[in-house]
Amino acid sequence: MGLSGGIGSGKSTVSARLAELGAVVIDADRIAREVVEPDTPALAEITARFGPGVLTPDGALDRPALGAVVFGDPAARADLEAITHPRIFARTVELRDAALDDAVVVHDIPLLVELDRAADYALTVIVDVPEEIRLRRLVDLRGMDEDEARRRIAAQADDDQRRRAADVLLPNTGSVEDLHEAVDRLWRERLVPFETGLRSGRPSRRPEVLTLVEPDPSWPAQAARLCDRLRGALGEAAVRTDHIGSTSIPALRAKDVLDLQVVVPDVGILDDTAVRRELSRRGLLVVDRADGQGWWDHAHGEGTAPGGTWEKGFVATADPARIVHVHVRQQDSPAWRLALIFRDWLRAVPQERDAYARLKDDSVRAGLSSTEHASAKEPWFAQAFPRAEEWASRTGWTPGS
Ligand code: ADP
């Protein structure tokens, strides 16, 4: 889990509570200090590059002096980061890998959003407090000079940027007890079952009871973050990632299940142990079919494809609070293109979107389960796909980037 928040938000208060609950906390600030302690290779390199003026009389790093040197000098700053960042990274990985298999590892990192790292974690948690309250707490409780506090706040990402990066927002405008209670609940209801699910290879399943919800305006951002995670895990093998399915269509009531698609040269990549580990670090699990038969896309209706089926892969999260279905499709399968045409067609043609919405409502009214609803949709799909294909060729549709 990645943990961040603006200065004075209560991030340290949250990580201390998580440590009490049993999390392994990796403190990025502490590592950043450790790698430049006296007698470290990094401090020697810094002194060689910036001169003895950045040391205190007793040989420690003089942070204000170094700060003054690199402030407003991007080249100097880049040189400094080239010395420190690889060491910070290596130590972070070392601590992460030293954690036991069943540990919930929390990376407490103030610059998570500034460094754009939200997709490195299975879950990104942001402690959320309006700037003015943070300012008051820094001045009143931590005794910081007000101008200094304002400067530090201004140098960081703003609250909106942080909110956009968050899978979970922990508001901290109430009491410390309120905050502890929220952390305890997060631990109990989300982190612990998430970790257990990942370790035992048990993905979160969509509920069998078919429930439609109003469109959630945060669905696209959630999908984008999950796509980032897929690309982080799959690297070059992810030819493209997309948000597909009902939650990708504005103004459509849908099951609260995010459908994503990733196109890969070969779905066999999902059998790779290293790939599975990278996915798992980001909260994602390859789902093997219990009968060992693999997953398949079927052609919907005539005229959509030369018939037959195409093997696919299936990835899901173990996050109990966010059901995700990732359809992993091979580049040479027509199925991925079809999924994009269907999405873009429903986005472009409101009458068709509304017809699809009625079909969903009918299934709810008839009391169908999610599985029964999936089957009930098939005849409609068989007719809808040719219409979507026709729309695609008429409008000169292309899959875009
Ligand atoms: P950060 O690590 O994000 O900079 P801290 O956890 O150090 O923030 O919190 C900043 C200050 O505010 C600390 O003095 C902390 O004890 C205090 N604090 C944290 N949460 C609350 C709260 N809910 N009410 C009052 N004070 C709080």
Side-chain angles (χ1 to χ4, degrees):
M1 177 193 127
L3 171 66
S4 198
I7 180 167
S9 59
K11 200 172 51 62
S12 313
T13 313
V14 169
S15 68
R17 185 65 172 188
L18 285 167
E20 272 172 38
L21 290 166
V24 172
V25 176
I26 300 177
D27 181 335
D29 272 348
R30 182 186 302 169
I31 294 175
R33 285 192 302 272
E34 278 173 8
V35 299
V36 293
E37 272 171 5
D39 299 323
T40 56
L43 189 58
E45 283 182 35
I46 289 171
T47 317
R49 166 67 179 80
F50 299 101
V54 298
L55 296 180
T56 61
D58 52 4
L61 184 64
D62 184 340
R63 289 173 178 280
L66 180 63
V69 173
V70 301
F71 185 79
D73 183 345
R77 195 191 174 98
D79 285 349
L80 174 62
E81 290 177 350
I83 296 170
T84 56
H85 282 189
R87 291 177 166 104
I88 295 171
F89 182 75
R91 179 67 180 145
T92 305
V93 166
E94 187 182 18
L95 289 172
R96 179 196 69 190
D97 291 348
L100 296 179
D101 278 348
D102 63 351
V104 173
V105 179
V106 174
H107 192 202
D108 175 344
I109 169 166
L111 296 182
L112 187 155
V113 175
E114 290 79 355
L115 296 172
D116 197 17
R117 303 315 314 180
D120 288 359
Y121 309 95
L123 203 67
T124 296
V125 177
I126 298 288
V127 190
D128 187 37
V129 183
E131 236 169 74
E132 280 308 308
I133 300 182
R134 292 197 273 124
L135 183 69
R136 286 272 62 84
R137 286 185 186 156
L138 288 173
V139 173
D140 297 346
L141 302 173
R142 290 219 310 227
M144 203 180 272
D145 171 70
E146 177 157 344
D147 287 339
E148 170 70 6
R150 280 190 195 280
R151 255 198 309 281
R152 290 203 186 198
I153 287 174
Q156 293 190 328
D158 65 34
D159 291 343
D160 280 341
Q161 289 168 316
R162 259 189 227 98
R163 284 179 196 131
R164 277 198 293 278
D167 295 298
V168 177
L169 276 183
L170 280 178
N172 181 24
T173 48
S175 66
V176 173
E177 289 68 35
D178 293 340
L179 181 63
H180 282 172
E181 223 169 88
V183 172
D184 294 358
R185 201 172 330 114
L186 177 71
W187 175 261
R188 203 172 52 235
E189 294 176 4
R190 200 154 179 185
L191 297 174
V192 169
F194 198 162
E195 187 284 319
T196 309
L198 277 178
R199 183 163 35 92
S200 53
R202 248 197 344 266
S204 313
R205 298 281 186 182
R206 83 176 168 206
E208 262 308 298
V209 178
L210 176 63
T211 310
L212 301 180
V213 301
E214 293 303 321
D216 178 339
S218 77
W219 278 338
Q222 292 185 45
R225 192 160 44 250
L226 284 152
C227 284
D228 285 347
R229 290 187 173 126
L230 286 164
R231 283 195 303 275
L234 296 172
E236 295 285 294
V239 176
R240 65 180 294 150
T241 56
D242 289 278
H243 183 198
I244 58 166
S246 296
T247 57
S248 70
I249 320 270
L252 184 62
R253 272 151 49 78
K255 293 188 297 276
D256 193 5
V257 174
L258 291 181
D259 284 290
L260 306 174
Q261 172 172 276
V262 51
V263 178
V264 295
D266 180 352
V267 293
I269 190 180
L270 296 181
D271 296 329
D272 188 299
T273 316
V275 166
R276 289 187 176 217
R277 191 176 51 239
E278 288 304 316
L279 285 167
S280 167
R281 285 198 175 124
R282 294 164 179 85
L284 296 159
L285 279 171
V286 176
V287 184
D288 297 311
R289 252 172 63 149
D291 59 8
Q293 298 297 302
W295 303 95
W296 300 87
D297 278 316
H298 299 266
H300 288 286
E302 285 170 316
T304 55
T309 52
W310 307 280
E311 189 167 12
K312 69 189 268 194
F314 195 59
V315 167
T317 62
D319 182 352
R322 171 33 67 217
I323 315 280
V324 178
H325 291 171
V326 185
H327 307 262
V328 185
R329 289 179 167 131
Q330 203 157 288
Q331 211 163 2
D332 63 6
S333 154
W336 65 264
R337 200 175 152 276
L338 222 48
L340 296 179
I341 289 180
F342 183 67
R343 176 196 69 188
D344 292 349
W345 174 62
L346 289 185
R347 282 177 174 175
V349 188
Q351 305 90 291
E352 296 288 4
R353 180 201 62 207
D354 294 344
Y356 188 39
R358 281 196 295 278
L359 183 75
K360 289 168 180 280
D361 287 334
D362 287 347
S363 287
V364 172
R365 255 195 303 279
L368 302 189
S369 69
S370 293
T371 307
E372 289 164 344
H373 168 60
S375 310
K377 286 192 298 194
E378 284 298 320
W380 182 81
F381 270 117
Q383 295 182 341
F385 272 100
R387 290 206 297 284
E389 289 270 27
E390 191 274 322
W391 168 86
S393 58
R394 183 160 40 82
T395 57
W397 178 92
T398 57
S401 61

